[in-house]
Amino acid sequence: MDDIESCTRPLGRGSVFCYGVGHMLNDVTAACWFTYLLVFLTDIGLPPRDAATIMLSGQIADGFATIFSGELIDRFGHFKICHIAGSVLVAISFSSVFGVCVPCKIFKTDSATMETVGYSIFAAIFNVGWAATQVSHMSMVNCMTLNPTSRVALASCRNAFTMVANLSLFAVALAVFNLSKPKTPVDIENQYRWIAYLSILIGCCFVGIFLVGTKEPRLRQEIEGKSLHRISWKDWFKKVLYYQVALVYMLTRLVTNVSQALLAFYVINDLQMAQSSKAIVPAIIYIFSFVVSVILQEMKWTGQRIKAFFTAGGILWIFSGAGIFLLPSSLHNLMYLLSVIIGVANALMTVTGISMQSVLVGEDINGSAFVYGSLSFLDKVSCGIALYVIESYQDFSSIGSLSITRYGLSLITASCALLGVLVTYTINLETPNLKHLTEPLLA
């Protein structure tokens, strides 16, 4: 009973901080993946459909890898071993995603088909490693503490350092874009290769902090005497809450990932902004997401408050989508204001969306990895399909006087946000009495 009581105490600042930085390598490479992959592939001459095929192959590999990783962790535990293995795969393969097409060099051909196959292979390897790291890191939350507010604090800290990772990427990208002026496809490739290398270096430094400062969670063993058995995946499928949370999380990730992937095209092609805006606009979004994430982790949380804050984020995104749809290129400076609103909305939806997963798992920690893995599967596959469909229609250039990018960035994201709000309204989030985090994280 003493072990159980100790697990319900709020976590301290150090534990929350060290956990929060553990996803930095994934976050900085994912930011590069969603923000610049499609731009990079089309810049080196691949058709939009082929570029989307490469991203889809990675997303599908990621989706299935999350299920496999979740099953392994639920059976054998060893969160940190899975985290390390995934991080090594990410670090090794990511440079090739933005580098030279290795199969093209081996077979001495530059055909679009071989380039598509070559980049797809490394995209799949990268996403397998990414999935292993993600599932192990997310599922650790429920095995580190039983305290609901500390779980929200962990999710919020993780999200805050997601913003740090993204800001780091955009700072690197802004420096690279300003220092080098590409004149050939080779120059473009070298730009993105430097961005990839520096992203890997930054991420690996923070992974080291996580591995040193975070112990392997022992909560599963400590509460073994509480008759906790391994939850079957069939049991999760019998819970209505599982489907509700899965849908909310999938819609949240669709909003954030689709918007991130299309934003660079929108500011350059639709709004006719400067090349530096590819880094500045996303940076503004992540600065305000970071600030809001830090504020959220200092609050007391109930199920109703989680729902209310998610709803607020969804409503902000609906207004942002309308603004993106209507914004003319002559008023492109208003995009900076929209970036502030999007940043706040992203933080509200992401932190509370992830917190809903912790409420769903509750004390059923022996099945937590399956929950995070299966929900991530929906996230990855749905994002891959959505972006593939959008990019497949890029060849048609526009619908009426507006581009496909504008429609995708505004209507798809706003529709997903609206549906997420409606589903959240129907959810019954029951949480025990919550205790406030004893220390501020980034005071």
Side-chain angles (χ1 to χ4, degrees), residues 406-429:
R406 187 184 290 262
Y407 276 99
L409 185 58
S410 59
L411 297 185
I412 290 180
T413 52
S415 298
C416 290
L418 175 59
L419 185 55
V421 169
L422 295 177
V423 175
T424 299
Y425 179 77
T426 67
I427 295 179
N428 180 24
L429 293 177

Side-chain angles (χ1 to χ4, degrees), residues 1 4 8 146 221-229 363:
M1 291 302 296
I4 299 299
T8 61
L146 293 175
Q221 290 85 357
E222 289 176 0
I223 59 178
E224 200 78 42
K226 202 179 175 184
S227 302
L228 288 181
H229 61 282
E363 296 184 7

Side-chain angles (χ1 to χ4, degrees), residues 244-370:
Q244 293 172 315
V245 172
L247 188 55
V248 169
Y249 181 73
M250 182 187 73
L251 292 168
T252 300
R253 301 305 295 177
L254 275 171
V255 169
T256 57
N257 290 340
V258 169
S259 62
Q260 188 172 0
L262 298 180
L263 193 60
F265 291 106
Y266 176 72
V267 297
I268 298 299
N269 299 333
D270 290 73
L271 298 184
Q272 302 295 311
M273 298 176 73
Q275 288 292 321
S276 59
S277 64
K278 290 191 295 186
I280 295 174
V281 170
I284 294 173
I285 291 174
Y286 284 102
I287 287 172
F288 282 88
S289 288
F290 174 77
V291 172
V292 172
S293 295
V294 172
I295 294 172
L296 290 179
Q297 63 119 27
E298 296 298 327
M299 299 181 63
K300 296 180 180 179
W301 287 96
T302 63
Q304 288 300 114
R305 182 165 288 182
I306 290 174
K307 291 174 60 175
F309 276 70
F310 182 91
T311 301
I315 292 173
L316 286 176
W317 241 116
I318 293 170
F319 284 110
S320 298
I324 290 170
F325 185 78
L326 298 173
L327 185 63
S329 59
S330 59
L331 298 176
H332 62 251
N333 286 333
L334 289 177
M335 187 62 208
Y336 296 117
L337 176 60
L338 281 175
S339 299
V340 174
I341 300 173
I342 291 172
V344 174
N346 281 352
L348 291 174
M349 294 180 69
T350 301
V351 170
T352 53
I354 293 176
S355 298
M356 288 182 197
Q357 297 180 53
S358 292
V359 175
L360 168 64
V361 172
E363 296 184 7
D364 296 327
I365 60 174
N366 288 326
S368 62
F370 171 80

Side-chain angles (χ1 to χ4, degrees), residues 102-132:
V102 177
C104 297
K105 295 293 183 182
I106 295 175
F107 294 102
K108 297 180 179 179
T109 177
D110 293 325
S111 69
T113 300
M114 183 58 68
E115 284 189 310
T116 302
V117 172
Y119 283 114
S120 294
I121 291 172
F122 284 101
I125 295 172
F126 161 67
N127 277 278
V128 168
W130 203 96

Side-chain angles (χ1 to χ4, degrees), residues 40-333:
F40 163 69
L41 294 173
T42 53
D43 280 351
I44 64 173
L46 281 177
R49 184 184 291 270
D50 289 347
T53 299
I54 293 169
M55 176 168 277
L56 179 61
S57 67
Q59 293 298 109
I60 291 176
D62 192 342
F64 283 102
T66 55
I67 298 291
F68 181 71
S69 299
E71 182 66 18
L72 284 180
I73 291 172
D74 278 340
R75 285 183 179 273
F76 305 110
H78 303 298
F79 297 92
K80 291 180 70 174
I81 292 177
C82 187
H83 189 283
I84 292 171
S87 297
V88 170
L89 271 182
V90 168
I92 292 175
S93 63
F94 188 66
S95 59
S96 296
V97 174
F98 284 90
V100 177
C101 174
V102 177
C104 297
K105 295 293 183 182
I106 295 175
F107 294 102
K108 297 180 179 179
T109 177
D110 293 325
S111 69
T113 300
M114 183 58 68
E115 284 189 310
T116 302
V117 172
Y119 283 114
S120 294
I121 291 172
F122 284 101
I125 295 172
F126 161 67
N127 277 278
V128 168
W130 203 96
T133 304
Q134 181 202 31
V135 174
S136 60
H137 192 257
M138 291 183 70
S139 55
M140 284 179 73
V141 171
N142 291 74
C143 295
M144 289 177 67
T145 178
L146 293 175
N147 183 277
T149 292
S150 288
R151 287 179 173 181
V152 175
L154 290 169
S156 183
C157 183
R158 179 181 183 274
N159 191 57
F161 280 100
T162 297
M163 309 311 145
V164 173
N166 280 268
L167 290 172
S168 301
L169 169 73
F170 297 130
V172 169
L174 186 61
V176 171
F177 291 145
N178 285 333
L179 291 175
S180 62
K181 303 299 180 183
K183 298 179 181 179
T184 66
V186 174
D187 294 336
I188 295 174
E189 190 174 288
N190 288 333
Q191 274 189 326
Y192 288 101
R193 186 179 299 167
W194 273 109
I195 293 173
Y197 286 157
L198 292 172
S199 298
I200 293 169
L201 177 62
I202 293 169
C204 286
C205 291
F206 283 97
V207 168
I209 295 173
F210 163 78
L211 293 176
V212 172
T214 304
K215 297 179 180 180
E216 178 73 21
R218 299 295 180 186
L219 183 54
R220 184 195 304 251
Q221 290 85 357
E222 289 176 0
I223 59 178
E224 200 78 42
K226 202 179 175 184
S227 302
L228 288 181
H229 61 282
R230 183 172 180 271
I231 307 299
S232 169
W233 58 270
K234 296 179 181 178
D235 294 328
W236 291 113
F237 289 155
K238 295 176 183 177
K239 296 184 177 183
V240 175
L241 183 60
Y242 173 84
Y243 297 99
Q244 293 172 315
V245 172
L247 188 55
V248 169
Y249 181 73
M250 182 187 73
L251 292 168
T252 300
R253 301 305 295 177
L254 275 171
V255 169
T256 57
N257 290 340
V258 169
S259 62
Q260 188 172 0
L262 298 180
L263 193 60
F265 291 106
Y266 176 72
V267 297
I268 298 299
N269 299 333
D270 290 73
L271 298 184
Q272 302 295 311
M273 298 176 73
Q275 288 292 321
S276 59
S277 64
K278 290 191 295 186
I280 295 174
V281 170
I284 294 173
I285 291 174
Y286 284 102
I287 287 172
F288 282 88
S289 288
F290 174 77
V291 172
V292 172
S293 295
V294 172
I295 294 172
L296 290 179
Q297 63 119 27
E298 296 298 327
M299 299 181 63
K300 296 180 180 179
W301 287 96
T302 63
Q304 288 300 114
R305 182 165 288 182
I306 290 174
K307 291 174 60 175
F309 276 70
F310 182 91
T311 301
I315 292 173
L316 286 176
W317 241 116
I318 293 170
F319 284 110
S320 298
I324 290 170
F325 185 78
L326 298 173
L327 185 63
S329 59
S330 59
L331 298 176
H332 62 251
N333 286 333

